[in-house]
Amino acid sequence: MTKMQDDPLFSIILVAYDVSKYIEKAILSVLNSSFDSWELIIIDDGSKDGTYEICQSYEYLSKVNVYQMSRIGLGSARNLALKKATGRYILFLDGDDRVDENIMNHLHLKIKLNEYDLLSFQWQTENNDTGVIANTLNPETTIAGWNKCYRRQWLNDHGIVFLEDVYYEDVSFTLEVIHGGPKSITIPHLGYVYTKRKQSITHMPFQTKNARDTLTVFQHLSCQLTKFNSDFERSYIVDFWWRHLLLMLNADKLDGKDFLLKAMIDTYVSSGLDLLNDGPYKNTSFIMKFKCMDLLLRRGWYAGAANINLFADFVHTLITKIKF
């Protein structure tokens, strides 16, 4: 149910699925904010562990709107929330993470001075098992959507939405944002706490579903090569391809009998060869040669692959054809 209130400055979009151990902390991190012009849009995507009931217990608050869906996926859920948002700016929050209580104040101070389209900020990674908090990474280059604040009208004007029905929906979304050339700024403030846990999509065992979605996302990006032509965009795509290739090879090593996975790896390697042999992409990643040698000499993962000759061609391309 959408509630009547003055249009807020920020819409915080929270999509949750089976995170009952964490969801209350996520919600409270918004409620405890030192800034008061916001709305919280919660999409529960068919949770079965009591997450929805916890979310529903906060719906009496005028700034909180809760919707229950039935396994439509993270990309679809975020797109739904974007349609319901009324704030000038959008923030994303995962159901097992937290926002800093002062981040909206820091963002507001910058927005008052200039109507930025994109504001990035730093974050911390909290290990769910050990409680250790790691150093922040570079906020400008991460594919994550949750360490950034987006002007809603700018997203609408550029038609930027999430891919649906796949994992890794942040990848294409972030690349589209970068390509749009937003007026942007980076804020040197720790605004987000990311929880690293084994049950999350990012850290779950890499299986056939992950491989299928990786291939879908990569092929989507590859179909737009003429559009994504800056050095950063090309490096971004190559890096995504390489990192997920390593995950695929690891999964193949662990489950050598998954022939569908093997077929997907072959298709993925072929797609990578097409990418690397495309003229504008040959010079994008000087570190690739080192990574390839590391793979060959110290790990040797692909011994049981369905098509070792195809992988050999891929290795040969990396070593002999990429100039740097």
Side-chain angles (χ1 to χ4, degrees):
M1 179 178 69
T2 303
K3 300 159 189 176
M4 297 297 293
Q5 61 172 317
D6 294 336
D7 288 348
L9 182 58
F10 298 105
S11 293
I12 300 98
I13 292 175
L14 192 165
V15 177
Y17 173 70
D18 281 358
V19 285
S20 60
K21 294 180 180 179
Y22 311 93
I23 189 64
E24 192 155 32
K25 286 184 178 180
I27 294 172
L28 289 175
S29 73
V30 178
L31 300 185
N32 293 333
S33 172
S34 58
F35 189 77
D36 61 5
S37 182
W38 53 264
E39 65 175 353
L40 176 60
I41 302 172
I42 302 175
I43 309 289
D44 177 81
D45 196 18
S47 295
K48 300 175 181 179
D49 68 343
T51 296
Y52 174 67
E53 288 72 20
I54 296 171
C55 296
Q56 204 174 28
S57 70
Y58 289 93
E59 198 173 18
Y60 73 93
L61 297 170
S62 62
K63 295 182 179 183
V64 179
N65 294 290
V66 181
Y67 304 89
Q68 187 177 37
M69 307 307 294
S70 180
R71 303 304 292 129
I72 62 175
L74 183 55
S76 298
R78 283 180 170 174
N79 287 338
L80 172 64
L82 283 170
K83 292 177 182 178
K84 296 182 178 297
T86 62
R88 281 177 56 204
Y89 284 85
I90 301 293
L91 289 162
F92 294 105
L93 172 62
D94 286 351
D96 50 358
D97 297 338
R98 307 187 300 280
V99 293
D100 177 76
E101 63 180 12
N102 295 314
I103 186 57
M104 284 186 272
N105 255 327
H106 287 279
L107 293 168
H108 178 232
L109 291 174
K110 297 299 182 182
I111 291 168
K112 282 198 306 182
L113 299 176
N114 204 325
E115 191 175 54
Y116 292 103
D117 304 316
L118 175 68
L119 301 95
S120 302
F121 45 89
Q122 298 174 328
W123 78 94
Q124 294 176 319
T125 299
E126 185 177 77
N127 191 304
N128 184 49
D129 296 323
T130 65
V132 173
I133 294 181
N135 293 330
T136 181
L137 299 176
N138 189 334
E140 294 93 343
T141 58
T142 176
I143 65 169
W146 37 248
N147 77 311
K148 301 174 182 68
C149 178
Y150 311 84
R151 188 164 68 87
R152 183 165 62 92
Q153 190 58 53
W154 184 86
L155 290 177
N156 291 340
D157 290 345
H158 287 74
I160 298 176
V161 295
F162 289 92
L163 286 181
E164 301 188 352
D165 302 319
V166 295
Y167 294 151
Y168 321 119
E169 69 294 320
D170 279 351
V171 175
S172 177
F173 182 86
T174 301
L175 195 55
E176 292 281 0
V177 169
I178 294 168
H179 180 74
K183 184 192 301 181
S184 61
I185 189 173
T186 297
I187 299 174
H189 180 78
L190 290 170
Y192 195 94
V193 178
Y194 166 70
T195 302
K196 183 178 180 179
R197 60 187 185 93
K198 294 178 181 178
Q199 295 84 3
S200 68
I201 291 175
T202 307
H203 298 101
M204 69 170 63
F206 200 85
Q207 299 172 338
T208 303
K209 162 67 174 169
N210 305 73
R212 181 185 297 112
D213 288 354
T214 295
L215 185 58
T216 298
V217 171
F218 181 73
Q219 289 177 336
H220 171 78
L221 298 177
S222 298
C223 288
Q224 304 183 67
L225 295 183
T226 56
K227 180 171 77 172
F228 299 135
N229 56 13
S230 73
D231 287 343
F232 181 81
E233 290 166 345
R234 293 198 300 265
S235 296
Y236 186 100
I237 294 174
V238 170
D239 185 63
F240 171 81
W241 169 66
W242 177 262
R243 285 185 291 107
H244 286 77
L245 174 64
L246 297 185
L247 291 172
M248 285 186 180
L249 298 182
N250 252 342
D252 186 53
K253 180 183 179 183
L254 294 173
D255 187 3
K257 297 180 180 180
D258 190 337
F259 295 104
L260 179 58
L261 177 60
K262 287 181 181 295
M264 288 183 182
I265 292 174
D266 286 341
T267 303
Y268 192 67
V269 170
S270 296
S271 299
L273 281 171
D274 292 341
L275 175 71
L276 291 171
N277 284 320
D278 183 18
Y281 280 75
K282 284 186 177 181
N283 304 323
T284 55
S285 185
F286 65 86
I287 203 169
M288 291 286 282
K289 186 173 180 180
F290 169 80
K291 288 182 175 179
C292 181
M293 294 304 293
D294 178 68
L295 174 67
L296 285 173
L297 299 177
R298 290 194 281 171
R299 297 176 184 176
W301 276 332
Y302 210 65
N307 191 339
I308 190 65
N309 291 328
L310 186 59
F311 186 68
D313 289 342
F314 152 70
V315 169
H316 180 73
T317 298
L318 284 180
I319 294 177
T320 64
K321 294 186 179 181
I322 300 178
K323 310 294 183 183
F324 63 93

